[in-house]
Amino acid sequence: MPLKNIAWWFLFTLAGVWLQHYVPGVDLLAAGLLLSLQERRPVQTFWLFTAFVLLQEGSGSLAFGGALLWYAALLVLFTLGKWLFEAENLLFILLIGLAMGVLHVVLLLELASLQDYAAPVGRLIAEGALQAVLLPAAWLVTRRCRRGLCGVGQQAL
């Protein structure tokens, strides 16, 4: 990976983690993983997947595995969905956002029950709805930035 590419993803990750502080319960790094999948760069996607899992697992309060399942589900949804849709189709991204919003609620309820923790269902539903809306929006912003509107030209990537 060229140095500009590494720097771009590092800055994206910093921005994503910082923004997640202001929107708790919503994963904004998933938009970057989606974009990396669309770029068809398996090595880049592997390293981002690994970094994002470690970041999310390290910052969470549930037992290990939630972020791994979360990002693995995103990979599976993308892989299965690209057979039916064009990978950069906005409808496809909206459907992935909706699926990830529902998965947020289901996954956290299941993981909380494994730890005998009573999760606030209303809050999880609100977070899931926010995830469903913000994932496509974050993907759009990330895609524009990645394509050169934020200073990193396409030739460097």
Side-chain angles (χ1 to χ4, degrees), residues 20 27 29-30 33 48-75 100 103 107-108 111:
Q20 284 180 182
D27 181 6
L29 298 175
L33 192 59
L48 288 174
F49 179 90
T50 303
F52 293 169
V53 165
L54 292 174
L55 277 170
Q56 299 290 23
E57 289 291 351
S59 65
S61 60
L62 292 174
F64 184 78
L68 184 63
L69 290 172
W70 172 259
Y71 289 120
L74 181 63
L75 290 173
M100 295 305 284
L103 181 66
L107 184 64
L108 288 180
L111 290 174

PDB file of all heavy atoms in Angstrom, residues 20 27 29-30 33 48-75 100 103 107-108 111:
ATOM      1  N   GLN A  20     -17.429   8.771  16.612  1.00  0.00           N
ATOM      2  CA  GLN A  20     -18.194   7.789  17.390  1.00  0.00           C
ATOM      3  C   GLN A  20     -18.323   8.217  18.849  1.00  0.00           C
ATOM      4  O   GLN A  20     -19.250   7.806  19.538  1.00  0.00           O
ATOM      5  CB  GLN A  20     -17.546   6.411  17.306  1.00  0.00           C
ATOM      6  CG  GLN A  20     -17.813   5.730  15.995  1.00  0.00           C
ATOM      7  CD  GLN A  20     -17.191   4.363  15.871  1.00  0.00           C
ATOM      8  OE1 GLN A  20     -17.321   3.757  14.839  1.00  0.00           O
ATOM      9  NE2 GLN A  20     -16.514   3.852  16.872  1.00  0.00           N
ATOM     10  N   ASP A  27     -21.563   2.651  14.673  1.00  0.00           N
ATOM     11  CA  ASP A  27     -20.247   2.336  14.111  1.00  0.00           C
ATOM     12  C   ASP A  27     -20.071   3.077  12.797  1.00  0.00           C
ATOM     13  O   ASP A  27     -20.681   2.723  11.793  1.00  0.00           O
ATOM     14  CB  ASP A  27     -20.129   0.830  13.899  1.00  0.00           C
ATOM     15  CG  ASP A  27     -18.777   0.416  13.343  1.00  0.00           C
ATOM     16  OD1 ASP A  27     -17.891   1.291  13.225  1.00  0.00           O
ATOM     17  OD2 ASP A  27     -18.609  -0.763  13.034  1.00  0.00           O
ATOM     18  N   LEU A  29     -17.016   3.412  11.413  1.00  0.00           N
ATOM     19  CA  LEU A  29     -15.898   2.804  10.697  1.00  0.00           C
ATOM     20  C   LEU A  29     -16.377   1.804   9.637  1.00  0.00           C
ATOM     21  O   LEU A  29     -15.660   1.522   8.677  1.00  0.00           O
ATOM     22  CB  LEU A  29     -14.954   2.110  11.681  1.00  0.00           C
ATOM     23  CG  LEU A  29     -14.295   3.012  12.720  1.00  0.00           C
ATOM     24  CD1 LEU A  29     -13.484   2.183  13.699  1.00  0.00           C
ATOM     25  CD2 LEU A  29     -13.428   4.057  12.062  1.00  0.00           C
ATOM     26  N   ALA A  30     -17.586   1.308   9.802  1.00  0.00           N
ATOM     27  CA  ALA A  30     -18.144   0.349   8.834  1.00  0.00           C
ATOM     28  C   ALA A  30     -18.214   0.952   7.434  1.00  0.00           C
ATOM     29  O   ALA A  30     -18.076   0.230   6.446  1.00  0.00           O
ATOM     30  CB  ALA A  30     -19.511  -0.117   9.293  1.00  0.00           C
ATOM     31  N   LEU A  33     -14.951   0.319   5.772  1.00  0.00           N
ATOM     32  CA  LEU A  33     -14.801  -1.079   5.363  1.00  0.00           C
ATOM     33  C   LEU A  33     -15.615  -1.350   4.099  1.00  0.00           C
ATOM     34  O   LEU A  33     -15.146  -2.053   3.194  1.00  0.00           O
ATOM     35  CB  LEU A  33     -15.222  -2.006   6.496  1.00  0.00           C
ATOM     36  CG  LEU A  33     -14.851  -3.466   6.332  1.00  0.00           C
ATOM     37  CD1 LEU A  33     -13.341  -3.646   6.190  1.00  0.00           C
ATOM     38  CD2 LEU A  33     -15.358  -4.279   7.493  1.00  0.00           C
ATOM     39  N   LEU A  48      -7.770  -3.354   7.413  1.00  0.00           N
ATOM     40  CA  LEU A  48      -8.798  -2.489   7.992  1.00  0.00           C
ATOM     41  C   LEU A  48      -9.737  -3.300   8.882  1.00  0.00           C
ATOM     42  O   LEU A  48     -10.088  -2.874   9.985  1.00  0.00           O
ATOM     43  CB  LEU A  48      -9.588  -1.783   6.894  1.00  0.00           C
ATOM     44  CG  LEU A  48      -8.847  -0.688   6.142  1.00  0.00           C
ATOM     45  CD1 LEU A  48      -9.693  -0.183   4.982  1.00  0.00           C
ATOM     46  CD2 LEU A  48      -8.459   0.455   7.065  1.00  0.00           C
ATOM     47  N   PHE A  49     -10.152  -4.457   8.402  1.00  0.00           N
ATOM     48  CA  PHE A  49     -11.012  -5.345   9.187  1.00  0.00           C
ATOM     49  C   PHE A  49     -10.356  -5.651  10.530  1.00  0.00           C
ATOM     50  O   PHE A  49     -10.975  -5.516  11.580  1.00  0.00           O
ATOM     51  CB  PHE A  49     -11.262  -6.640   8.396  1.00  0.00           C
ATOM     52  CG  PHE A  49     -12.126  -7.642   9.110  1.00  0.00           C
ATOM     53  CD1 PHE A  49     -13.500  -7.627   8.956  1.00  0.00           C
ATOM     54  CD2 PHE A  49     -11.558  -8.618   9.915  1.00  0.00           C
ATOM     55  CE1 PHE A  49     -14.301  -8.561   9.592  1.00  0.00           C
ATOM     56  CE2 PHE A  49     -12.348  -9.549  10.565  1.00  0.00           C
ATOM     57  CZ  PHE A  49     -13.717  -9.523  10.408  1.00  0.00           C
ATOM     58  N   THR A  50      -9.099  -6.035  10.483  1.00  0.00           N
ATOM     59  CA  THR A  50      -8.367  -6.380  11.708  1.00  0.00           C
ATOM     60  C   THR A  50      -8.254  -5.181  12.645  1.00  0.00           C
ATOM     61  O   THR A  50      -8.522  -5.292  13.845  1.00  0.00           O
ATOM     62  CB  THR A  50      -6.961  -6.905  11.351  1.00  0.00           C
ATOM     63  OG1 THR A  50      -7.101  -8.038  10.476  1.00  0.00           O
ATOM     64  CG2 THR A  50      -6.193  -7.314  12.593  1.00  0.00           C
ATOM     65  N   ALA A  51      -7.878  -4.032  12.114  1.00  0.00           N
ATOM     66  CA  ALA A  51      -7.725  -2.832  12.934  1.00  0.00           C
ATOM     67  C   ALA A  51      -9.061  -2.403  13.544  1.00  0.00           C
ATOM     68  O   ALA A  51      -9.127  -2.064  14.731  1.00  0.00           O
ATOM     69  CB  ALA A  51      -7.134  -1.700  12.101  1.00  0.00           C
ATOM     70  N   PHE A  52     -10.122  -2.429  12.740  1.00  0.00           N
ATOM     71  CA  PHE A  52     -11.421  -1.991  13.238  1.00  0.00           C
ATOM     72  C   PHE A  52     -11.957  -2.944  14.310  1.00  0.00           C
ATOM     73  O   PHE A  52     -12.542  -2.504  15.306  1.00  0.00           O
ATOM     74  CB  PHE A  52     -12.430  -1.856  12.101  1.00  0.00           C
ATOM     75  CG  PHE A  52     -12.116  -0.757  11.121  1.00  0.00           C
ATOM     76  CD1 PHE A  52     -12.809  -0.671   9.929  1.00  0.00           C
ATOM     77  CD2 PHE A  52     -11.127   0.189  11.361  1.00  0.00           C
ATOM     78  CE1 PHE A  52     -12.541   0.351   9.020  1.00  0.00           C
ATOM     79  CE2 PHE A  52     -10.844   1.196  10.458  1.00  0.00           C
ATOM     80  CZ  PHE A  52     -11.560   1.278   9.279  1.00  0.00           C
ATOM     81  N   VAL A  53     -11.767  -4.249  14.126  1.00  0.00           N
ATOM     82  CA  VAL A  53     -12.202  -5.212  15.136  1.00  0.00           C
ATOM     83  C   VAL A  53     -11.464  -4.957  16.443  1.00  0.00           C
ATOM     84  O   VAL A  53     -12.066  -4.900  17.520  1.00  0.00           O
ATOM     85  CB  VAL A  53     -11.997  -6.670  14.660  1.00  0.00           C
ATOM     86  CG1 VAL A  53     -12.104  -7.646  15.820  1.00  0.00           C
ATOM     87  CG2 VAL A  53     -13.007  -7.034  13.589  1.00  0.00           C
ATOM     88  N   LEU A  54     -10.146  -4.786  16.369  1.00  0.00           N
ATOM     89  CA  LEU A  54      -9.368  -4.551  17.585  1.00  0.00           C
ATOM     90  C   LEU A  54      -9.759  -3.239  18.260  1.00  0.00           C
ATOM     91  O   LEU A  54      -9.874  -3.176  19.490  1.00  0.00           O
ATOM     92  CB  LEU A  54      -7.869  -4.572  17.277  1.00  0.00           C
ATOM     93  CG  LEU A  54      -7.316  -5.944  16.871  1.00  0.00           C
ATOM     94  CD1 LEU A  54      -5.864  -5.825  16.445  1.00  0.00           C
ATOM     95  CD2 LEU A  54      -7.465  -6.946  18.008  1.00  0.00           C
ATOM     96  N   LEU A  55      -9.984  -2.202  17.483  1.00  0.00           N
ATOM     97  CA  LEU A  55     -10.405  -0.916  18.051  1.00  0.00           C
ATOM     98  C   LEU A  55     -11.766  -1.025  18.737  1.00  0.00           C
ATOM     99  O   LEU A  55     -11.941  -0.555  19.867  1.00  0.00           O
ATOM    100  CB  LEU A  55     -10.482   0.150  16.959  1.00  0.00           C
ATOM    101  CG  LEU A  55      -9.191   0.828  16.578  1.00  0.00           C
ATOM    102  CD1 LEU A  55      -9.397   1.672  15.317  1.00  0.00           C
ATOM    103  CD2 LEU A  55      -8.692   1.708  17.708  1.00  0.00           C
ATOM    104  N   GLN A  56     -12.709  -1.634  18.061  1.00  0.00           N
ATOM    105  CA  GLN A  56     -14.060  -1.721  18.612  1.00  0.00           C
ATOM    106  C   GLN A  56     -14.121  -2.659  19.820  1.00  0.00           C
ATOM    107  O   GLN A  56     -14.816  -2.377  20.792  1.00  0.00           O
ATOM    108  CB  GLN A  56     -15.066  -2.177  17.544  1.00  0.00           C
ATOM    109  CG  GLN A  56     -15.181  -1.248  16.368  1.00  0.00           C
ATOM    110  CD  GLN A  56     -15.855   0.082  16.686  1.00  0.00           C
ATOM    111  OE1 GLN A  56     -15.888   0.541  17.813  1.00  0.00           O
ATOM    112  NE2 GLN A  56     -16.392   0.704  15.662  1.00  0.00           N
ATOM    113  N   GLU A  57     -13.401  -3.760  19.740  1.00  0.00           N
ATOM    114  CA  GLU A  57     -13.391  -4.691  20.865  1.00  0.00           C
ATOM    115  C   GLU A  57     -12.708  -4.064  22.079  1.00  0.00           C
ATOM    116  O   GLU A  57     -13.138  -4.262  23.210  1.00  0.00           O
ATOM    117  CB  GLU A  57     -12.685  -6.002  20.492  1.00  0.00           C
ATOM    118  CG  GLU A  57     -13.450  -6.862  19.522  1.00  0.00           C
ATOM    119  CD  GLU A  57     -14.707  -7.480  20.104  1.00  0.00           C
ATOM    120  OE1 GLU A  57     -14.944  -7.398  21.324  1.00  0.00           O
ATOM    121  OE2 GLU A  57     -15.479  -8.044  19.313  1.00  0.00           O
ATOM    122  N   GLY A  58     -11.652  -3.309  21.838  1.00  0.00           N
ATOM    123  CA  GLY A  58     -10.925  -2.679  22.935  1.00  0.00           C
ATOM    124  C   GLY A  58     -11.699  -1.568  23.611  1.00  0.00           C
ATOM    125  O   GLY A  58     -11.497  -1.290  24.792  1.00  0.00           O
ATOM    126  N   SER A  59     -12.605  -0.942  22.890  1.00  0.00           N
ATOM    127  CA  SER A  59     -13.356   0.174  23.463  1.00  0.00           C
ATOM    128  C   SER A  59     -14.720  -0.245  24.005  1.00  0.00           C
ATOM    129  O   SER A  59     -15.387   0.548  24.656  1.00  0.00           O
ATOM    130  CB  SER A  59     -13.544   1.276  22.417  1.00  0.00           C
ATOM    131  OG  SER A  59     -14.353   0.817  21.359  1.00  0.00           O
ATOM    132  N   GLY A  60     -15.127  -1.469  23.764  1.00  0.00           N
ATOM    133  CA  GLY A  60     -16.450  -1.926  24.187  1.00  0.00           C
ATOM    134  C   GLY A  60     -16.439  -2.551  25.565  1.00  0.00           C
ATOM    135  O   GLY A  60     -15.387  -2.828  26.144  1.00  0.00           O
ATOM    136  N   SER A  61     -17.621  -2.785  26.089  1.00  0.00           N
ATOM    137  CA  SER A  61     -17.736  -3.367  27.422  1.00  0.00           C
ATOM    138  C   SER A  61     -18.260  -4.810  27.394  1.00  0.00           C
ATOM    139  O   SER A  61     -18.358  -5.435  28.428  1.00  0.00           O
ATOM    140  CB  SER A  61     -18.659  -2.510  28.290  1.00  0.00           C
ATOM    141  OG  SER A  61     -19.935  -2.435  27.716  1.00  0.00           O
ATOM    142  N   LEU A  62     -18.581  -5.314  26.215  1.00  0.00           N
ATOM    143  CA  LEU A  62     -19.040  -6.696  26.112  1.00  0.00           C
ATOM    144  C   LEU A  62     -17.847  -7.627  25.923  1.00  0.00           C
ATOM    145  O   LEU A  62     -16.749  -7.192  25.576  1.00  0.00           O
ATOM    146  CB  LEU A  62     -20.003  -6.847  24.931  1.00  0.00           C
ATOM    147  CG  LEU A  62     -21.350  -6.152  25.073  1.00  0.00           C
ATOM    148  CD1 LEU A  62     -22.137  -6.257  23.780  1.00  0.00           C
ATOM    149  CD2 LEU A  62     -22.151  -6.743  26.221  1.00  0.00           C
ATOM    150  N   ALA A  63     -18.085  -8.903  26.138  1.00  0.00           N
ATOM    151  CA  ALA A  63     -17.031  -9.896  25.938  1.00  0.00           C
ATOM    152  C   ALA A  63     -16.590  -9.912  24.475  1.00  0.00           C
ATOM    153  O   ALA A  63     -17.323  -9.484  23.586  1.00  0.00           O
ATOM    154  CB  ALA A  63     -17.540 -11.280  26.342  1.00  0.00           C
ATOM    155  N   PHE A  64     -15.396 -10.417  24.235  1.00  0.00           N
ATOM    156  CA  PHE A  64     -14.818 -10.409  22.895  1.00  0.00           C
ATOM    157  C   PHE A  64     -15.705 -11.172  21.919  1.00  0.00           C
ATOM    158  O   PHE A  64     -16.215 -12.227  22.227  1.00  0.00           O
ATOM    159  CB  PHE A  64     -13.422 -11.038  22.910  1.00  0.00           C
ATOM    160  CG  PHE A  64     -12.731 -10.970  21.582  1.00  0.00           C
ATOM    161  CD1 PHE A  64     -12.141  -9.801  21.156  1.00  0.00           C
ATOM    162  CD2 PHE A  64     -12.707 -12.067  20.741  1.00  0.00           C
ATOM    163  CE1 PHE A  64     -11.520  -9.723  19.924  1.00  0.00           C
ATOM    164  CE2 PHE A  64     -12.090 -12.000  19.507  1.00  0.00           C
ATOM    165  CZ  PHE A  64     -11.488 -10.822  19.101  1.00  0.00           C
ATOM    166  N   GLY A  65     -15.865 -10.616  20.732  1.00  0.00           N
ATOM    167  CA  GLY A  65     -16.569 -11.300  19.666  1.00  0.00           C
ATOM    168  C   GLY A  65     -17.628 -10.468  18.984  1.00  0.00           C
ATOM    169  O   GLY A  65     -17.979 -10.741  17.841  1.00  0.00           O
ATOM    170  N   GLY A  66     -18.148  -9.453  19.640  1.00  0.00           N
ATOM    171  CA  GLY A  66     -19.211  -8.652  19.053  1.00  0.00           C
ATOM    172  C   GLY A  66     -18.777  -7.927  17.794  1.00  0.00           C
ATOM    173  O   GLY A  66     -19.463  -7.969  16.767  1.00  0.00           O
ATOM    174  N   ALA A  67     -17.650  -7.260  17.852  1.00  0.00           N
ATOM    175  CA  ALA A  67     -17.155  -6.519  16.684  1.00  0.00           C
ATOM    176  C   ALA A  67     -16.747  -7.478  15.574  1.00  0.00           C
ATOM    177  O   ALA A  67     -16.948  -7.179  14.388  1.00  0.00           O
ATOM    178  CB  ALA A  67     -15.978  -5.621  17.069  1.00  0.00           C
ATOM    179  N   LEU A  68     -16.200  -8.601  15.942  1.00  0.00           N
ATOM    180  CA  LEU A  68     -15.824  -9.609  14.940  1.00  0.00           C
ATOM    181  C   LEU A  68     -17.061 -10.086  14.187  1.00  0.00           C
ATOM    182  O   LEU A  68     -17.055 -10.153  12.948  1.00  0.00           O
ATOM    183  CB  LEU A  68     -15.110 -10.772  15.624  1.00  0.00           C
ATOM    184  CG  LEU A  68     -14.563 -11.865  14.732  1.00  0.00           C
ATOM    185  CD1 LEU A  68     -13.491 -11.324  13.803  1.00  0.00           C
ATOM    186  CD2 LEU A  68     -13.989 -12.991  15.579  1.00  0.00           C
ATOM    187  N   LEU A  69     -18.124 -10.392  14.916  1.00  0.00           N
ATOM    188  CA  LEU A  69     -19.382 -10.807  14.272  1.00  0.00           C
ATOM    189  C   LEU A  69     -19.982  -9.676  13.447  1.00  0.00           C
ATOM    190  O   LEU A  69     -20.511  -9.896  12.362  1.00  0.00           O
ATOM    191  CB  LEU A  69     -20.390 -11.273  15.323  1.00  0.00           C
ATOM    192  CG  LEU A  69     -20.082 -12.582  16.034  1.00  0.00           C
ATOM    193  CD1 LEU A  69     -21.060 -12.809  17.184  1.00  0.00           C
ATOM    194  CD2 LEU A  69     -20.140 -13.735  15.052  1.00  0.00           C
ATOM    195  N   TRP A  70     -19.889  -8.454  13.952  1.00  0.00           N
ATOM    196  CA  TRP A  70     -20.440  -7.268  13.278  1.00  0.00           C
ATOM    197  C   TRP A  70     -19.795  -7.067  11.915  1.00  0.00           C
ATOM    198  O   TRP A  70     -20.460  -6.949  10.897  1.00  0.00           O
ATOM    199  CB  TRP A  70     -20.241  -6.062  14.180  1.00  0.00           C
ATOM    200  CG  TRP A  70     -20.579  -4.746  13.590  1.00  0.00           C
ATOM    201  CD1 TRP A  70     -19.706  -3.820  13.095  1.00  0.00           C
ATOM    202  CD2 TRP A  70     -21.879  -4.188  13.415  1.00  0.00           C
ATOM    203  NE1 TRP A  70     -20.389  -2.724  12.631  1.00  0.00           N
ATOM    204  CE2 TRP A  70     -21.723  -2.925  12.825  1.00  0.00           C
ATOM    205  CE3 TRP A  70     -23.161  -4.626  13.717  1.00  0.00           C
ATOM    206  CZ2 TRP A  70     -22.797  -2.101  12.516  1.00  0.00           C
ATOM    207  CZ3 TRP A  70     -24.223  -3.808  13.409  1.00  0.00           C
ATOM    208  CH2 TRP A  70     -24.039  -2.558  12.818  1.00  0.00           C
ATOM    209  N   TYR A  71     -18.464  -7.021  11.903  1.00  0.00           N
ATOM    210  CA  TYR A  71     -17.762  -6.779  10.646  1.00  0.00           C
ATOM    211  C   TYR A  71     -17.814  -7.995   9.723  1.00  0.00           C
ATOM    212  O   TYR A  71     -17.851  -7.840   8.506  1.00  0.00           O
ATOM    213  CB  TYR A  71     -16.315  -6.345  10.904  1.00  0.00           C
ATOM    214  CG  TYR A  71     -16.235  -4.953  11.463  1.00  0.00           C
ATOM    215  CD1 TYR A  71     -15.668  -4.710  12.703  1.00  0.00           C
ATOM    216  CD2 TYR A  71     -16.735  -3.866  10.755  1.00  0.00           C
ATOM    217  CE1 TYR A  71     -15.605  -3.436  13.226  1.00  0.00           C
ATOM    218  CE2 TYR A  71     -16.680  -2.587  11.275  1.00  0.00           C
ATOM    219  CZ  TYR A  71     -16.109  -2.374  12.506  1.00  0.00           C
ATOM    220  OH  TYR A  71     -16.061  -1.105  13.013  1.00  0.00           O
ATOM    221  N   ALA A  72     -17.853  -9.197  10.293  1.00  0.00           N
ATOM    222  CA  ALA A  72     -17.999 -10.393   9.459  1.00  0.00           C
ATOM    223  C   ALA A  72     -19.362 -10.383   8.767  1.00  0.00           C
ATOM    224  O   ALA A  72     -19.470 -10.738   7.585  1.00  0.00           O
ATOM    225  CB  ALA A  72     -17.825 -11.656  10.298  1.00  0.00           C
ATOM    226  N   ALA A  73     -20.392  -9.958   9.478  1.00  0.00           N
ATOM    227  CA  ALA A  73     -21.724  -9.849   8.875  1.00  0.00           C
ATOM    228  C   ALA A  73     -21.725  -8.824   7.750  1.00  0.00           C
ATOM    229  O   ALA A  73     -22.355  -9.037   6.706  1.00  0.00           O
ATOM    230  CB  ALA A  73     -22.755  -9.472   9.943  1.00  0.00           C
ATOM    231  N   LEU A  74     -21.020  -7.724   7.946  1.00  0.00           N
ATOM    232  CA  LEU A  74     -20.914  -6.713   6.890  1.00  0.00           C
ATOM    233  C   LEU A  74     -20.238  -7.299   5.652  1.00  0.00           C
ATOM    234  O   LEU A  74     -20.697  -7.086   4.525  1.00  0.00           O
ATOM    235  CB  LEU A  74     -20.146  -5.492   7.395  1.00  0.00           C
ATOM    236  CG  LEU A  74     -19.970  -4.343   6.404  1.00  0.00           C
ATOM    237  CD1 LEU A  74     -21.315  -3.758   6.007  1.00  0.00           C
ATOM    238  CD2 LEU A  74     -19.082  -3.273   7.003  1.00  0.00           C
ATOM    239  N   LEU A  75     -19.167  -8.065   5.859  1.00  0.00           N
ATOM    240  CA  LEU A  75     -18.483  -8.717   4.729  1.00  0.00           C
ATOM    241  C   LEU A  75     -19.415  -9.689   4.005  1.00  0.00           C
ATOM    242  O   LEU A  75     -19.457  -9.709   2.771  1.00  0.00           O
ATOM    243  CB  LEU A  75     -17.244  -9.459   5.215  1.00  0.00           C
ATOM    244  CG  LEU A  75     -16.069  -8.622   5.701  1.00  0.00           C
ATOM    245  CD1 LEU A  75     -14.990  -9.515   6.318  1.00  0.00           C
ATOM    246  CD2 LEU A  75     -15.495  -7.797   4.587  1.00  0.00           C
ATOM    247  N   MET A 100     -27.740  -3.632   8.687  1.00  0.00           N
ATOM    248  CA  MET A 100     -26.805  -3.442   9.800  1.00  0.00           C
ATOM    249  C   MET A 100     -27.499  -2.783  10.988  1.00  0.00           C
ATOM    250  O   MET A 100     -27.141  -3.034  12.134  1.00  0.00           O
ATOM    251  CB  MET A 100     -25.593  -2.635   9.343  1.00  0.00           C
ATOM    252  CG  MET A 100     -24.729  -3.344   8.311  1.00  0.00           C
ATOM    253  SD  MET A 100     -24.138  -4.974   8.812  1.00  0.00           S
ATOM    254  CE  MET A 100     -22.853  -4.511   9.953  1.00  0.00           C
ATOM    255  N   LEU A 103     -29.289  -5.639  12.565  1.00  0.00           N
ATOM    256  CA  LEU A 103     -28.282  -6.514  13.170  1.00  0.00           C
ATOM    257  C   LEU A 103     -27.731  -5.909  14.460  1.00  0.00           C
ATOM    258  O   LEU A 103     -27.432  -6.642  15.403  1.00  0.00           O
ATOM    259  CB  LEU A 103     -27.146  -6.787  12.184  1.00  0.00           C
ATOM    260  CG  LEU A 103     -26.047  -7.709  12.690  1.00  0.00           C
ATOM    261  CD1 LEU A 103     -26.607  -9.114  12.907  1.00  0.00           C
ATOM    262  CD2 LEU A 103     -24.891  -7.745  11.729  1.00  0.00           C
ATOM    263  N   LEU A 107     -27.814  -8.349  17.513  1.00  0.00           N
ATOM    264  CA  LEU A 107     -26.507  -8.793  17.994  1.00  0.00           C
ATOM    265  C   LEU A 107     -26.255  -8.338  19.428  1.00  0.00           C
ATOM    266  O   LEU A 107     -25.819  -9.141  20.267  1.00  0.00           O
ATOM    267  CB  LEU A 107     -25.410  -8.266  17.066  1.00  0.00           C
ATOM    268  CG  LEU A 107     -23.988  -8.713  17.354  1.00  0.00           C
ATOM    269  CD1 LEU A 107     -23.846 -10.213  17.168  1.00  0.00           C
ATOM    270  CD2 LEU A 107     -23.024  -7.991  16.432  1.00  0.00           C
ATOM    271  N   LEU A 108     -26.542  -7.084  19.727  1.00  0.00           N
ATOM    272  CA  LEU A 108     -26.288  -6.598  21.082  1.00  0.00           C
ATOM    273  C   LEU A 108     -27.233  -7.217  22.107  1.00  0.00           C
ATOM    274  O   LEU A 108     -26.823  -7.483  23.244  1.00  0.00           O
ATOM    275  CB  LEU A 108     -26.353  -5.075  21.125  1.00  0.00           C
ATOM    276  CG  LEU A 108     -25.158  -4.392  20.461  1.00  0.00           C
ATOM    277  CD1 LEU A 108     -25.274  -2.885  20.543  1.00  0.00           C
ATOM    278  CD2 LEU A 108     -23.846  -4.846  21.083  1.00  0.00           C
ATOM    279  N   LEU A 111     -25.694 -10.746  22.628  1.00  0.00           N
ATOM    280  CA  LEU A 111     -24.435 -10.711  23.369  1.00  0.00           C
ATOM    281  C   LEU A 111     -24.645 -10.278  24.810  1.00  0.00           C
ATOM    282  O   LEU A 111     -23.985 -10.786  25.722  1.00  0.00           O
ATOM    283  CB  LEU A 111     -23.429  -9.786  22.674  1.00  0.00           C
ATOM    284  CG  LEU A 111     -22.892 -10.301  21.350  1.00  0.00           C
ATOM    285  CD1 LEU A 111     -22.015  -9.246  20.685  1.00  0.00           C
ATOM    286  CD2 LEU A 111     -22.110 -11.588  21.539  1.00  0.00           C
TER     287      LEU A 111
END
